[in-house]
Amino acid sequence: EVQLVESGGGLAQPGGSLRLSCAASGFAFSIYAMSWVRQAPGKELEWVSTITSGGLTSYATSVKGRFTISRDNAKNTLYLQLNSLQTEDTAMYYCERIGNRGQGTQVTVSS
């Protein structure tokens, strides 16, 4: 059974940082592209970033230069480093593999 379990969310001040983790199990993690998506209250689901099995990365314009996606295949874990946080980054963050999404971790940016 595919499982994706996010953690690391919380409350941060504008300009602050958080590091999200996604522990993956039940599939061959290293061969899959993995993504982060987010959903703010009252808004549509928004793609944030993707990392391929080979380590190539891509980002939404709104987070490029502030967020960094990475993976540790030995630990079956996906990461998202969030820097220079803005109030607009407040959302539930989910990790995704094609066809599967975790339960999410809440990020709230507020002073």
Side-chain angles (χ1 to χ4, degrees):
E1 177 188 4
V2 173
Q3 287 198 330
L4 300 169
V5 180
E6 301 93 335
S7 62
L11 176 64
Q13 292 189 337
S17 298
L18 287 171
R19 189 193 196 201
L20 309 184
S21 299
C22 172
S25 61
F27 66 101
F29 177 77
S30 64
I31 69 171
Y32 280 88
M34 298 294 297
S35 297
W36 287 97
V37 297
R38 67 185 181 183
Q39 188 165 28
K43 294 191 176 181
E44 298 287 322
L45 198 66
E46 176 189 19
W47 171 75
V48 174
S49 182
T50 295
I51 185 167
T52 68
S53 58
L56 296 178
T57 59
S58 54
Y59 299 92
T61 302
S62 59
V63 307
K64 196 168 187 179
R66 301 187 299 119
F67 292 6
T68 303
I69 192 171
S70 62
R71 65 193 300 161
D72 185 334
N73 291 335
K75 295 182 178 180
N76 286 353
T77 302
L78 177 71
Y79 301 101
L80 186 68
Q81 178 68 41
L82 289 63
N83 295 332
S84 301
L85 282 163
Q86 303 169 355
T87 55
E88 305 83 67
D89 296 318
T90 295
M92 186 72 79
Y93 285 71
Y94 302 90
C95 73
E96 281 194 342
R97 187 206 79 157
I98 185 167
N100 299 94
R101 185 182 301 155
Q103 85 291 342
T105 187
Q106 178 68 41
V107 170
T108 302
V109 184
S110 175
S111 56

